[in-house]
Amino acid sequence: MEALIKFVQDEFVTKKDFPEFSAGDTITVYYEIKEGAKTRTQFFRGVVIQVKGTGNSKTFTIRKISGTVGVERIFPVNMPALQKVEINKRGAVRRARIYYFRGLTGKKARIKEERR
């Protein structure tokens, strides 16, 4: 059954080429918003908290601070409104899911940049 599902996903779902990113990276996601008859592009820039799943069911969670409130958004990789993903900074973290980042504020909430 799994082989059949994988075959259908490979054949019929369009694959988007996004750069590889992981938890701790700061990325900008551009996505399309429809308001009535108009469409516009909006971006969401923040730190990747987690990358979950594989293949077409893959999702990633981004967290940013808007004013004094933390905002998280979950994006599916195969979302049709997703236009592009830019990597701003590569973060050096030891975990795949950095949920502890939610409790940090101020200077403690900084992530070291990975050297390349």
Side-chain angles (χ1 to χ4, degrees), residues 16-29:
K16 295 182 179 180
D17 291 327
F18 294 127
E20 285 294 320
F21 54 87
S22 61
D25 295 350
T26 303
I27 65 173
T28 306
V29 177

Side-chain angles (χ1 to χ4, degrees), residues 10-11 15 20 22 40 42 47 68-69 78 81 99 115:
D10 291 342
E11 285 292 319
K15 181 79 172 158
E20 285 294 320
S22 61
R40 65 183 175 89
Q42 187 170 337
V47 177
T68 57
V69 180
N78 67 341
Y99 296 134
R115 298 188 120 190

Side-chain angles (χ1 to χ4, degrees), residues 12 27 64 103 106:
F12 299 109
I27 65 173
K64 75 173 182 177

Side-chain angles (χ1 to χ4, degrees), residues 21 24 31 42 46 56 59 64 66 68 89 94 101 113:
F21 54 87
Y31 58 98
Q42 187 170 337
N56 291 325
T59 61
K64 75 173 182 177
S66 180
T68 57
K89 279 196 284 186
R94 294 180 174 184
F101 194 66
E113 195 165 350

Side-chain angles (χ1 to χ4, degrees), residues 32-43:
E32 208 171 70
I33 291 182
K34 293 180 181 168
E35 297 171 332
K38 296 180 185 176
T39 60
R40 65 183 175 89
T41 301
Q42 187 170 337
F43 67 90

Side-chain angles (χ1 to χ4, degrees), residues 23-26 45-50 61-65 70-72 89 91-93 95-112:
D25 295 350
T26 303
R45 177 179 292 133
V47 177
V48 177
I49 297 286
Q50 71 170 347
T61 305
I62 301 178
R63 179 179 177 85
K64 75 173 182 177
I65 302 297
V71 179
E72 289 186 12
K89 279 196 284 186
V93 293
R95 297 178 183 271
R97 300 196 173 144
I98 54 174
Y99 296 134
Y100 66 87
F101 194 66
R102 294 173 176 157
L104 303 178
T105 57
K107 288 187 176 181
K108 298 267 186 189
R110 289 185 293 187
I111 294 177
K112 288 184 181 177

Side-chain angles (χ1 to χ4, degrees), residues 5 20 51 54 87 98 116:
I5 292 171
E20 285 294 320
V51 179
T54 58
I87 298 176
I98 54 174
R116 294 236 160 213

